[in-house]
Amino acid sequence: MCRMARPRKPLLSTDRIVATARALVDAEGLAAVSTRRLAAELGVSGPSLYNHFRTKDQILEAVADSVSAQVDLSMFEDGRNWRDALRDWAVSYRAALSEHPHIVPLLASGPGRRPAGLRLADAVFGAMVDAGWPPAHATSIGALMRYFVMGSAIGSFARGFVDDAAAYDPADYPHLGQAHLLAERRQKIDERAFETGLDALLDGLSLQYEKVADGGRR
């Protein structure tokens, strides 16, 4: 009696489960992920998922951490000054979140026990303290930047306007005569808004730095 040869590679792996779940979240949102749906997408039986993850929540936590792992942290290690490093990190952070906006609500709950999320928090806090920021201020900076970056990634100001000029009667909205054009220029407008806000935040932090950082400038 002939037996079927075992596949050289296992049908399932942690990385494959996470990648499939991430694609589902990207396409349909967090609610689309269930162990039954994942098993169907992967072409396996539901119980086989439990060899890698005990619950759906664990899978979503891993998806969230896989997005955090996409954020570049090298700018905190290559000698850049704190302001340039913080700016470059924020740009990388937003780019990662903008590609996976549906996972942002889960990321917004904090890093919890997620390794990549904790490395991210550790890198930002450590770099700010090393630059001379007092620990309490370094904590506030990390929180501030997370609020700003996540808020910019989770929604679009420009997309909130309809492309119908008739919706903006000048008698009611005298300053919104061009608002119907915003949606089609969404990416440019949203990126410019992010850059404007980021520069404003960093300008304000630079003023604080002069007052509170050890030794003034570093």
Side-chain angles (χ1 to χ4, degrees):
M1 179 178 178
C2 295
R3 294 183 178 180
M4 292 182 64
R6 292 183 178 181
R8 292 183 179 179
K9 295 183 179 179
L11 291 175
L12 276 185
S13 67
T14 298
D15 288 345
R16 186 179 170 213
I17 294 170
V18 171
T20 302
R22 186 172 57 236
L24 271 178
V25 173
D26 288 345
E28 302 179 34
L30 289 166
V33 178
S34 68
T35 53
R36 179 178 295 181
R37 176 75 183 277
L38 267 178
E41 294 285 335
L42 290 161
V44 299
S45 63
S48 62
L49 294 175
Y50 299 121
N51 293 324
H52 301 271
F53 296 98
R54 293 195 302 272
T55 66
K56 181 188 82 170
D57 287 344
Q58 284 190 346
I59 296 172
L60 290 176
E61 287 286 309
V63 170
D65 211 38
S66 74
V67 174
S68 293
Q70 296 175 14
V71 181
D72 184 13
L73 300 177
S74 65
M75 65 284 298
F76 297 121
E77 303 169 354
D78 62 10
R80 267 173 267 193
N81 66 61
W82 70 266
R83 178 180 171 132
D84 289 343
L86 202 59
R87 191 183 202 288
D88 293 342
W89 167 74
V91 170
S92 176
Y93 197 9
R94 181 178 182 268
L97 299 189
S98 295
E99 294 219 359
H100 310 282
H102 292 148
I103 201 66
V104 174
L106 184 54
L107 285 168
S109 66
R113 297 177 181 273
R114 301 180 210 122
L118 289 170
R119 283 193 294 272
L120 188 154
D122 181 74
V124 175
F125 178 80
M128 295 304 101
V129 171
D130 288 346
W133 284 98
H137 285 77
T139 298
S140 296
I141 290 169
L144 167 68
M145 298 305 292
R146 284 184 67 251
Y147 300 152
F148 175 67
V149 173
M150 288 187 176
S152 72
I154 201 170
S156 167
F157 170 82
R159 186 181 288 161
F161 293 85
V162 298
D163 61 359
D164 179 7
Y168 309 102
D169 189 327
D172 296 320
Y173 315 107
H175 305 295
L176 295 182
Q178 300 296 307
H180 63 288
L181 302 175
L182 293 177
E184 70 180 42
R185 302 171 184 173
R186 177 187 64 82
Q187 183 174 354
K188 182 177 181 179
I189 291 170
D190 290 345
E191 288 181 357
R192 186 168 58 202
F194 173 74
E195 295 284 337
T196 300
L198 182 57
D199 286 340
L201 280 177
L202 293 173
D203 286 345
L205 287 174
S206 293
L207 291 175
Q208 289 188 39
Y209 183 73
E210 296 296 325
K211 298 177 182 178
V212 304
D214 293 338
R217 294 187 183 89
R218 284 195 181 186

